[in-house]
Amino acid sequence: MNNHFITLGNLGLCVAASLNAQRLFKDHRAPAAGIFLVVCSAALSVLPATISLDWSSQPAALCADLQWAAEVLSPAMVSFGFLWLSDDHFTAYTLLTGSALLSMLTGWLSRDGLSVMSRCMAMSSLSCSLTVCLFAGNPLGILGSVLLSAPALVGLSGTSPLVSPEAAGGLLKLGLIGAMTVGCWAIRWALEIYVQDLKGWDKSNNILT
């Protein structure tokens, strides 16, 4: 029964992430790309339940890689968007470079090493988003960043030794899928609100000057 609920959860995540990635693409390319990774991961997670293929080798490995990318790289790309809007371009590029290097080094790291580096990347991304959103007074950004980073911090994809495969495949996984679904919506609204706030601040500064 859990597998059916997880499949439905991934399907809902795929739809929600698709809609939000499409809305973000015009003005926020990096966050849109990050959420599109969530779309790919969720869609590929649904396929085994709908298509009879041998998922024991190559497709399963691809699914695991995409799930890791959605968990770890998506929050980094979302944080890049917040940092870029706040004019902290140096930190934005540093975070993006770090996430790119981590994705290239995954094949060279042990399971424990990948777990540590993934959590460090997730914490860095989350701290950057939280810093910007706290100073901007953007509670939706805080909520979305926490929810989108939760799977990486918990270790949903199995890179963390703290979460057993049984726990990752049950109610915990379903809850984290739900968190990512809500997180995608919250991030999109947060970015739109932040842009409106920045426009309001610019108008106020122009009036004062």
Side-chain angles (χ1 to χ4, degrees), residues 5 7 12 17 21 30-32 47 65 71 102 114 116 120-121 130 142 145 148 156 172 184 190 192:
F5 284 121
T7 300
L47 288 181
D65 290 342
E71 291 175 16
L102 179 58
L114 182 60
V116 171
C120 289
M121 189 75 248
L130 290 181
I142 296 172
S145 298
L148 206 61
L156 177 59
L172 176 61
C184 288
E192 291 180 353

Side-chain angles (χ1 to χ4, degrees), residues 4-128:
H4 294 299
F5 284 121
I6 289 173
T7 300
L8 289 175
N10 277 316
L11 186 60
L13 174 59
C14 183
V15 173
S18 297
L19 293 173
N20 288 290
Q22 183 181 8
R23 290 289 299 271
L24 287 171
F25 182 75
K26 180 179 179 182
D27 299 316
H28 311 282
R29 298 293 173 86
I35 294 179
F36 183 71
L37 287 175
V38 177
V39 176
C40 296
S41 173
L44 199 54
S45 297
V46 171
L47 288 181
T50 56
I51 300 176
S52 57
L53 291 173
D54 179 16
W55 289 86
S56 59
S57 55
Q58 204 66 18
L62 178 59
C63 184
D65 290 342
L66 272 176
Q67 187 176 7
W68 176 86
E71 291 175 16
V72 179
L73 302 184
S74 293
M77 293 182 178
V78 167
S79 294
F80 179 91
F82 281 116
L83 290 167
W84 189 266
L85 289 173
S86 66
D87 289 330
D88 191 353
H89 296 174
F90 176 78
T91 306
Y93 281 125
T94 302
L95 186 65
L96 195 63
T97 302
S99 63
L101 288 174
L102 179 58
S103 63
M104 290 187 292
L105 292 174
T106 51
W108 299 84
L109 296 172
S110 64
R111 184 175 181 272
D112 290 341
L114 182 60
S115 173
V116 171
M117 294 303 296
S118 297
R119 283 170 176 267
C120 289
M121 189 75 248
M123 285 301 298
S124 298
S125 303
L126 179 59
S127 62
C128 289

Side-chain angles (χ1 to χ4, degrees), residues 2 5-6 9-10 13 146-148 150-151 154 156 167-183:
N2 277 342
F5 284 121
I6 289 173
N10 277 316
L13 174 59
V146 171
L147 293 178
L148 206 61
V154 173
L156 177 59
L171 291 176
L172 176 61
K173 182 172 184 178
L174 187 61
L176 291 174
I177 289 172
M180 291 186 76
T181 304
V182 177

Side-chain angles (χ1 to χ4, degrees), residues 145-202:
S145 298
V146 171
L147 293 178
L148 206 61
S149 299
L153 296 175
V154 173
L156 177 59
S157 62
T159 58
S160 171
L162 301 178
V163 180
S164 65
E166 292 78 11
L171 291 176
L172 176 61
K173 182 172 184 178
L174 187 61
L176 291 174
I177 289 172
M180 291 186 76
T181 304
V182 177
C184 288
W185 288 104
I187 287 297
R188 194 257 288 179
W189 290 331
L191 286 167
E192 291 180 353
I193 291 171
Y194 193 25
V195 169
Q196 293 301 319
D197 289 343
L198 289 175
K199 290 179 179 178
W201 293 334
D202 288 341

